[in-house]
Amino acid sequence: MENIVIIGNGIAGISAARHIRKLSDKRIIVISAETDYFFSRTALMYVYMGHMKFEHIQPYENWFWEKNRIELVRGYVTHVDTETKQLQIDGSRAVQYDKLIIATGSKPNKFGWPGQDLHGVQGLYSKQDLDLLEVNAPNKDVCKRAVIVGGGLIGIELAEMLRSRDIPVTFLVREESFWNGVLPNGESAMINEHILDHHIDLRLGTNLKEIVADENGRVKSIIITETGEELPCDMVGLTAGVSPNVDFLKDSGIELGRGVKVDRFLETNMKDVYAIGDCAEQHEAIGNRRPIEAVWYTGRMMGETVAQTICGNRIEYKPGHWFNSAKFLDIEYQTYGWVFSSKGKKEYEAHFHWRHPEEKICITAAFHKDTNQFLGLNTFGIRMRHEVFDRWLTEGRDIDYVMEHLADANFDPEFYKNYEADIASKYNSDFGKSIKAKKRSLKRIFQTA
Ligand SMILES: Cc1cc2nc3c(=O)[nH]c(=O)nc-3n(C[C@H](O)[C@H](O)[C@H](O)COP(=O)(O)OP(=O)(O)OC[C@H]3O[C@@H](n4cnc5c(N)ncnc54)[C@H](O)[C@@H]3O)c2cc1C
């Protein structure tokens, strides 16, 4: 029987294992160093915040794996030999494969800051990081101030987590405005306000110079590059992005860039070796996507795709329209299609921005300047239907149509206030149009409720 070995039990590796099992009777072995069982990394924050126990973020019961004949091995793969098709686990045990899937995810970036390895300095990625956070920042008596370095999605999550225990937080963000490499200016400005409203000491345009140790080798303060200010703190969270977790493959002959290089079929340069999820790097980016996409949905889609190929139906990875969602403190964010940041806007791209006059609710729609084709939408504080935007993007709808029919995509419950009319009125005034926003149909409201 063919031996399929998967390194990594995250969403990518586990999606591959589940789908290979659905499609075949092959032997499946999943090796992972982090935990015995798959868990939802995106929900780690809720464990610290007390909304859930760690067991609750494991989507499958422990018996699921044996029942589905997916063998789980706890251990760290130290070496891959593609000639003998053998792996070394923890430098001692050997495992043979016929086909190998590398799904080893990411690790938090460290940029060589002095003091980055001191006690009290950590990232937020793994279950071990979560456990360490309970040691470094269990409450505001032990951690009188935390400093977070790096203003992305994980940084803001860590800030929210620490604030949930009333721990004072200083948030160092290199950019002049939060996440403005991704978000258009209006949205980025709104999130700056929101962070400050949550009593987080947001320092924009600010870099970490060094982390200073006390006499026991524990963090006692940080120094800011721009001002030289020394800020006392008990914990430092490093959240300046992630990189593929591929160092153990350096002498394997498997082609590496920043991640494991793959073609459209998720195949590496070595026969019978594939890579998926955060650790995979496309030779050439697909459309507007990045060659490495460290997001949940990508891992799941790649896992499903590689399972087909391994089970004899060789198919290309075709991710479809870009979609992502996240949370900025209590503001839900969704993005469909492409809305580039104000800095990274394409020359053909026009933006329409609407923001609620009092509340932190806004949208930005992107469309083609010349053809009016709808290109994408960001929403903050309004929930939309993924499938509706997917359809509109595929159908190549124009921006007028989308603005008129926004109510069809609204996913907020019936009793939520609707803003379609206000949005249409701002759109008409910005662009000299006279569209009329459709109301939500009673049938739709009924379906939602
Ligand atoms: C706090 C946090 C919040 C996030 N929120 C979002 C979100 O809201 N939306 C979103 O789209 N994405 C989010 N992400 C990103 C998302 O979680 C990742 O893109 C996704 O989990 C990656 O899945 P993966 O299967 O590729 O890798 P991983 O989940 O990293 O799994 C890889 C596994 O392989 C193990 N491993 C690595 N090397 C070896 C080795 N040599 N031997 C054995 N095992 C090894 C690792 O320990 C790990 O368990 C978040 C990430 C974090 C950390």
Side-chain angles (χ1 to χ4, degrees):
M1 195 194 301
E2 204 176 33
N3 238 8
I4 312 296
V5 174
I6 302 171
I7 317 177
N9 69 351
I11 181 65
I14 288 304
S15 299
R18 284 181 42 241
H19 285 266
I20 293 169
R21 175 53 67 241
K22 275 189 196 168
L23 297 166
S24 79
D25 225 20
K26 297 176 195 293
R27 182 170 180 207
I28 304 171
I29 303 170
V30 180
I31 307 169
S32 204
E34 185 179 3
T35 50
D36 290 333
Y37 301 108
F38 167 59
F39 69 93
S40 170
R41 199 172 294 292
T42 54
L44 270 180
M45 66 183 297
Y46 301 110
V47 177
Y48 179 87
M49 289 167 72
H51 302 183
M52 290 176 177
K53 289 204 156 65
F54 184 72
E55 299 77 74
H56 300 152
I57 67 167
Q58 293 179 176
Y60 302 96
E61 301 286 348
N62 293 352
W63 49 257
F64 175 87
W65 310 102
E66 203 182 322
K67 178 162 180 262
N68 287 286
R69 288 168 293 119
I70 296 172
E71 296 170 44
L72 303 179
V73 175
R74 181 85 182 264
Y76 186 79
V77 175
T78 44
H79 184 71
V80 175
D81 187 330
T82 54
E83 276 196 4
T84 58
K85 291 192 157 184
Q86 202 177 65
L87 312 178
Q88 287 292 325
I89 303 179
D90 296 319
S92 52
R93 273 183 292 166
V95 171
Q96 209 67 36
Y97 69 83
D98 295 308
K99 292 209 161 73
L100 175 66
I101 304 175
I102 302 165
T104 50
S106 301
K107 57 181 184 341
N109 285 335
K110 287 184 172 182
F111 290 111
W113 291 293
Q116 67 183 16
D117 296 316
L118 291 172
H119 290 299
V121 181
Q122 67 165 104
L124 175 65
Y125 191 86
S126 61
K127 166 71 165 66
Q128 287 71 19
D129 291 335
L130 182 74
D131 296 341
L132 191 56
L133 194 62
E134 286 293 351
V135 176
N136 287 330
N139 54 53
K140 62 180 190 241
D141 298 324
V142 172
C143 183
K144 294 186 181 58
R145 175 160 298 274
V147 173
I148 298 173
V149 182
L153 294 178
I154 298 180
I156 197 165
E157 279 194 8
L158 182 56
E160 181 177 2
M161 290 160 75
L162 294 163
R163 291 300 300 134
S164 76
R165 295 195 188 180
D166 257 354
I167 295 170
V169 172
T170 296
F171 193 9
L172 307 189
V173 173
R174 185 183 54 176
E175 294 75 26
E176 292 305 321
S177 183
F178 181 80
W179 222 36
N180 68 353
V182 178
L183 299 179
N185 288 347
E187 300 175 348
S188 168
M190 189 181 85
I191 301 301
N192 292 339
E193 281 170 38
H194 199 55
I195 293 171
L196 291 167
D197 286 351
H198 277 72
H199 308 289
I200 294 164
D201 172 27
L202 174 66
R203 309 280 186 102
L204 295 171
T206 303
N207 284 276
L208 172 69
K209 182 165 179 234
E210 69 175 280
I211 305 169
V212 183
D214 67 9
E215 59 283 6
N216 301 316
R218 233 200 117 73
V219 52
K220 72 161 189 189
S221 63
I222 59 110
I223 296 177
I224 289 172
T225 308
E226 287 72 17
T227 57
E229 182 188 356
E230 181 166 2
L231 246 172
C233 60
D234 302 297
M235 184 249 160
V236 175
L238 300 180
T239 57
V242 296
S243 321
N245 209 346
V246 295
D247 291 347
F248 73 106
L249 296 170
K250 280 206 167 117
D251 58 354
S252 66
I254 298 169
E255 188 186 352
L256 302 178
R258 281 187 58 229
V260 181
K261 290 280 195 176
V262 291
D263 62 16
R264 292 289 200 266
F265 295 88
L266 307 168
E267 296 160 337
T268 70
N269 61 321
M270 291 293 171
K271 191 170 177 313
D272 295 329
V273 181
Y274 306 80
I276 56 174
D278 278 23
C279 72
E281 177 178 2
Q282 288 284 331
H283 286 293
E284 274 166 48
I286 303 176
N288 280 325
R289 287 169 180 262
R290 294 180 179 167
I292 301 174
E293 273 183 1
V295 291
W296 184 263
Y297 304 98
T298 294
R300 199 173 65 190
M301 285 189 289
M302 285 185 171
E304 291 173 14
T305 306
V306 85
Q308 291 282 343
T309 296
I310 280 183
C311 294
N313 176 26
R314 187 167 178 265
I315 56 170
E316 249 184 81
Y317 171 61
K318 286 193 181 146
H321 300 297
W322 171 248
F323 160 73
N324 205 6
S325 65
K327 234 168 74 314
F328 297 100
L329 301 154
D330 49 346
I331 302 180
E332 281 185 49
Y333 155 70
Q334 296 177 332
T335 183
Y336 305 94
W338 293 111
V339 183
F340 288 97
S341 69
S342 304
K343 285 195 285 190
K345 217 158 124 180
K346 307 282 177 197
E347 52 36 71
Y348 56 78
E349 190 182 342
H351 281 180
F352 161 64
H353 180 68
W354 169 86
R355 181 171 168 187
H356 190 282
E358 288 108 38
E359 291 175 59
K360 297 210 190 70
I361 299 174
C362 73
I363 67 161
T364 302
F367 59 98
H368 197 293
K369 269 183 196 155
D370 304 327
T371 63
N372 273 344
Q373 186 179 342
F374 171 65
L375 301 173
L377 186 89
N378 286 351
T379 72
F380 289 75
I382 306 176
R383 237 179 272 169
M384 298 282 187
R385 287 169 187 273
H386 185 175
E387 71 278 9
V388 175
F389 283 103
D390 226 37
R391 196 175 69 234
W392 288 346
L393 287 163
T394 302
E395 290 169 352
R397 294 288 180 183
D398 67 22
I399 182 70
D400 286 359
Y401 179 92
V402 171
M403 288 296 123
E404 271 167 5
H405 292 83
L406 218 44
D408 291 344
N410 191 310
F411 195 46
D412 277 337
E414 179 193 357
F415 49 82
Y416 273 47
K417 194 168 166 347
N418 296 146
Y419 303 105
E420 286 86 16
D422 299 352
I423 294 171
S425 142
K426 167 97 173 11
Y427 175 72
N428 286 338
S429 115
D430 282 9
F431 296 100
K433 300 269 175 99
S434 51
I435 62 143
K436 215 164 168 294
K438 231 181 104 181
K439 290 212 169 67
R440 286 174 90 186
S441 77
L442 280 175
K443 191 166 148 233
R444 268 274 340 277
I445 290 173
F446 200 61
Q447 281 167 351
T448 310

